[in-house]
Amino acid sequence: METRNVSPEKLREIVGADHVRESTAADAVDGVEPAFVVEPGSVEEASEVMKVAGEEGLAVVPRGGGSKMGLGNPPRELDLIVSTARMNQILEYVPQDQVVRVQAGIKLEDLQETLSESNQMVALDPPETGATVGGVVATNASGPRRYARGTVRDLIIGIRVVLADGTVAKAGGKVVKNVAGYDLAKLFTGSLGTLGLIVEANFRLHPLQEASRTVAVEVESPQAAFEAVRAVKKSQVEPTAVELRYSEDRKLVVVLVESIPGGIDAKEEMVSFLLKPSGRVRTLSDEEAGRERSSLSHAGEDATVVRISAPPAELVGVMESVLGAAERRGLGHPEITGHAATGVTYVTLSGGETGTLDDFAGEVREIWVRRGGTVVLERAPVELKRRAGVWGPPADSIGLTRRVKEKFDPRGILSPGRFIGGI
Amino acid sequence: MERSRLIQAMEDILGPEGVIHEREQLRTYECDGLMNYRVIPDLVVLPVNAEQVQKIVRLCYDEGIPYVARGSGTGLSGGALPVESGVLIVMSRMKRILEVDLENERVVVEPGVINLWVSQEVADEGYYYAPDPASQLVSSIGGNLAENSGGVHCLKYGFTTNHVTGAEVVLPDGSVAHLGGGKAPDEPGYDLLGAFVGSEGTLGIATSITLRVLRKPEAVRTLLAAFKDTEEAGDAVSGIIGGGIVPAAIEMMDRLCLEAVEVAVSPGFPDAGAVLIVELDGPEAEVENQFERTMKICEDSNASEIRVAEDDAERALFWKGRKAAFAAMGRVSNDYYVQDSVVPRTELGAVLKRISDLGEEYGMRVANVFHAGDGNLHPLVLYDGEVEGEAEKAEKLAGDIVFACLEHGGSLTGEHGIGEDKKKYMPKMFTEEDLDTMQLLRCAFDPHYLCNPGKMFPTPRLCGERPGPFRMHPVQKAGLAELF
């Protein structure tokens, strides 16, 4: 790896001496340590920082709350982390318009707190704590509510970015309905810091529902879990979330319904009725329900989390392939969680040799890529990432994907190597 | 390439029945739903499958011939306006529904499939396709995808982009790529599908499209409420949305619009300054409760009359009146010019006032029919094209309305697209840097600038790539573009 002599002087002139600091081990991305961490305080500063990086060819990885820095291949090189932490303001919020414009560095939970005062929310509920809005967009993070409200792409209505050469550009706007120009907000969603630094985002909002209930059914097999999910999905009850929690000792399908006070009992009853054939049904206490909504397990730092996206109707196949592949390799009973009705499943494995985990991922990947899905190492030890690759084989659009990258970042300084196809 | 050789080459690909080159026949295709602009294409080709589309595009790419894809031609911004000395690729013969997979709530169609056919295909199983542009009886899914079409129910259910999960596309270099996966969610990589939907045919041609279909709601309730003026109707809209209700649709019509609709289709709407149609759908208990609250809010906003649709027939009558609004203008005016701006909901009152003032200033009538829930206006500027200078005046007034909407934090277009019609306004909404950045995407997809050139952006710039022996680009030669 090439090491560059990064002079912090220019950066200090832009953002002030207090906001450029030498990195520590905690700033390393998959073991690769940058030279400096820079914290611009405004779009203008961010633009100047990127201009310097662009001119000197410094490799930059953007960072928000840092809660998902483990997603992606280890960077090929890394000179600067550009943190959006200081850009954390709500820029425009008129509750009656149900739209908000924020700086990228605001923490999602802080934003939600302000919005909740007006009984509104950005309908995104990723499990990570401390995530910033920019990070949520860049990693396309989602949570249980995606069943009813979709993912970032369905909620983001405008974006402002700083490109690799310092150019500041926006797309979209602050109205929900808008088809003027290319939808670059979607292009940047999930782009993992490889196209530019996201500095602002605009979202459509949803009203908070006044009443909610969480109903769970204990299931005994993947087939029973699927039947439960299917029954709810085929109904007209319009649940907010349908989740799976399937480990050795706890096997649940959990359904969240929300409504107005006058409508919630009927919804709860209907869901209970639909789930009954699959096992024992009960309504969870608020405390229990809160725990279940977090979709990632509470496994340790060294755990491996594999995300499988598959056609939703293939849930049984996904679960059986995972259980079989794990058992054959002595990996025990992995925890399978996920947004069961949407086709997104997370497999959490604690421990295991790199070679064994590589084999496991390879087998599962082979099956689900062939059937139209994808298998991503959402979180994994660096060694395993290097061996198995994080993203799996790219689709036939990879040539186009590369051309887009080359246009936006011709020198390849943004998050080099982290994304699909080594982008 | 000489025209006769081009015709021959196209006939080799499509057979003689797939190529139209007689001038009189070509005239049929000189415009889309926006008839102010007309260009007769050099040639019209009608492929029946993806291989033919690929061969056509490859031929155009090799020969440097610009082309435009067209669906049913109902677009209202000139997005499917042919380009001079170019080929028009008409997709309407590709109209098969390829796959229905309700276990995964998806339907795969060819681009020429008509919007309404999708819902009809899955209706018996209790499903439907949510995006419902007023043109849904005739407009094609391919066209809907290109324009990211909306519709009256997109307030709750979103736009075409929220319901397209995958597309097979022929890229401008003639290669084929599958965008978005279509079978499973969250395909890693750039959301190229998200960028493609709504790109107005400038990034390639979709040859197969995967759509998400939804379970039909358990209950649907619709009401029509009459008000003294648009301001009071607007108060009701704010009350409903502010009350945390997300209706499936809220539509508003003003007095002039109501008069026209009454003459045209006689829906028997009340004599009023403004009428709202509000539709709620969802689980029964929820809808009943919210419907009662909605009626109360309308009463509190001084509604002079509230009618509740008692059955599907009455609901259909309400919607017939609303959906006939554009066509009905023909009954009160020879010509009209429609705009499609959007404003934040809270700015509606101020903008409507400004539109009315502008109308007076210009001495022209402006009718308003719009999607009130999401602030998407459709002001209809009425004029008589026979009178010298009226058309220009109408367009200028429409432009001023657009500027007013932008000043209030809005957008140029909510669902009709930029196309030929509004590209000159783009610099009012976006900076040069914004537009150049969008152009980066264009250059990644279409480096030779052949795919629906001249649409969407005011000053098309080329991508600086000149493979093969240098020849001046037709667009550049015509003085329409500059290299950078």
Side-chain angles (χ1 to χ4, degrees), chain A residues 160-227:
Chain A
R160 189 182 301 270
V161 295
V162 178
L163 301 186
D165 64 356
T167 300
V168 178
K170 70 168 186 303
K174 49 181 191 173
V175 284
V176 170
K177 200 173 181 186
N178 177 9
V179 295
Y182 291 142
D183 195 344
L184 300 184
K186 285 195 181 61
L187 185 72
F188 273 78
T189 298
S191 65
L192 205 73
T194 60
L195 292 178
L197 175 71
I198 298 167
V199 289
E200 283 175 23
N202 310 348
F203 295 93
R204 71 171 297 185
L205 304 175
H206 283 88
L208 287 178
Q209 297 292 317
E210 296 159 65
S212 75
R213 301 275 161 80
T214 306
V215 185
V217 59
E218 286 169 26
V219 294
E220 284 185 349
S221 64
Q223 186 63 37
F226 174 66
E227 295 297 340

Side-chain angles (χ1 to χ4, degrees), chain A residues 129-152:
Chain A
T129 49
T132 59
V133 163
V136 167
V137 174
T139 60
N140 189 22
S142 65
R145 268 171 211 282
R146 61 176 289 161
Y147 179 67
R149 301 282 179 239
T151 53
V152 171

Side-chain angles (χ1 to χ4, degrees), chain B residues 21-89:
Chain B
H21 53 81
E22 300 291 344
R23 195 171 164 82
E24 273 321 298
Q25 283 178 290
L26 290 172
R27 283 197 77 101
T28 312
Y29 297 96
E30 66 181 355
C31 64
D32 61 9
L34 178 72
M35 288 173 271
N36 314 34
Y37 298 93
R38 291 165 199 265
V39 172
I40 296 174
D42 216 28
L43 211 61
V44 171
V45 293
L46 299 115
V48 293
N49 58 43
E51 292 70 35
Q52 290 185 347
V53 176
Q54 195 178 4
K55 285 179 180 165
I56 294 163
V57 170
R58 172 57 76 170
L59 177 63
C60 289
Y61 179 79
D62 288 343
E63 299 296 330
I65 300 163
Y67 55 89
V68 178
R70 170 184 161 119
S72 299
T74 56
L76 293 169
S77 58
L81 180 75
V83 285
E84 213 141 347
S85 310
V87 172
L88 188 72
I89 306 174

Side-chain angles (χ1 to χ4, degrees), chain B residues 152-359:
Chain B
V152 293
H153 289 89
C154 59
L155 174 61
K156 179 170 177 184
Y157 292 102
F159 318 96
T160 299
T161 190
N162 307 108
H163 299 271
V164 172
T165 59
E168 173 190 85
V169 303
V170 174
L171 297 173
D173 66 357
S175 65
V176 173
H178 294 80
L179 311 182
K183 284 191 171 168
D186 291 5
E187 187 185 57
Y190 299 139
D191 188 356
L192 299 173
L193 180 67
F196 191 87
V197 176
S199 62
E200 305 192 15
T202 63
L203 300 181
I205 301 174
T207 48
S208 125
I209 301 163
T210 306
L211 306 172
R212 187 164 71 104
V213 288
L214 304 181
R215 260 312 253 127
K216 279 186 198 164
E218 189 181 12
V220 184
R221 300 298 306 272
T222 313
L223 69 77
L224 182 149
F227 297 87
K228 183 172 94 241
D229 51 33
T230 52
E231 203 179 326
E232 287 192 346
D235 289 344
V237 173
S238 300
I240 294 164
I241 305 274
I245 299 171
V246 183
I250 308 187
E251 301 287 303
M252 199 194 294
M253 288 178 277
D254 73 357
R255 180 176 292 280
L256 185 51
C257 177
L258 289 165
E259 283 169 11
V261 166
E262 210 52 53
V263 176
V265 294
S266 317
F269 285 171
D271 178 18
V275 155
L276 282 185
I277 299 175
V278 186
E279 189 159 290
L280 298 175
D281 67 19
E284 187 92 49
E286 205 167 290
V287 168
E288 276 314 311
N289 185 303
Q290 298 201 338
F291 196 68
E292 275 164 33
R293 276 167 63 196
T294 302
M295 288 209 284
K296 177 84 172 50
I297 292 165
C298 288
E299 281 163 16
D300 291 348
S301 305
N302 301 322
S304 56
E305 186 181 344
I306 296 175
R307 291 183 198 170
V308 176
E310 294 301 336
D311 50 29
D312 285 348
E314 197 169 1
R315 177 176 9 266
L317 187 67
F318 289 179
W319 284 117
K320 185 180 169 193
R322 162 61 186 89
K323 291 191 176 179
F326 283 15
M329 288 304 144
R331 308 297 285 266
V332 293
S333 174
N334 276 344
D335 302 281
Y336 67 89
Y337 194 97
V338 60
Q339 276 300 353
D340 178 41
S341 327
V342 191
V343 291
R345 213 160 16 227
T346 49
E347 303 289 332
L348 266 177
V351 169
L352 287 173
K353 173 81 174 59
R354 179 86 184 111
I355 291 174
S356 146
D357 290 351
L358 280 167

Side-chain angles (χ1 to χ4, degrees), chain A residues 96-97 146 153-154 169-170 177-179 182 194 230 234 236 259-260 267 309 312-313 342 396 403, chain B residues 103-104 161-162 178 185-186 190-191 202 215-216 286 289 342 345-346 371 376 411 413 415 434 437 444:
Chain A
Q96 294 93 320
D97 287 332
R146 61 176 289 161
R153 76 191 303 279
D154 300 297
K170 70 168 186 303
K177 200 173 181 186
N178 177 9
V179 295
Y182 291 142
T194 60
R230 186 173 184 274
K234 287 254 166 194
Q236 293 168 310
S259 187
I260 45 174
K267 268 189 155 179
S309 292
T342 67
D396 63 3
R403 291 202 292 279
Chain B
E103 282 299 314
N104 289 305
T161 190
N162 307 108
H178 294 80
D186 291 5
Y190 299 139
D191 188 356
T202 63
R215 260 312 253 127
K216 279 186 198 164
E286 205 167 290
N289 185 303
V342 191
R345 213 160 16 227
T346 49
H371 310 298
N376 185 195
S411 167
T413 173
E415 54 187 355
D434 300 340
T437 302

Side-chain angles (χ1 to χ4, degrees), chain A residues 247-267:
Chain A
S247 59
E248 192 156 24
D249 49 3
R250 276 173 80 250
K251 298 180 170 57
L252 298 177
V253 169
V254 185
V255 179
L256 170 66
V257 285
E258 293 178 310
S259 187
I260 45 174
I264 195 69
D265 287 340
K267 268 189 155 179

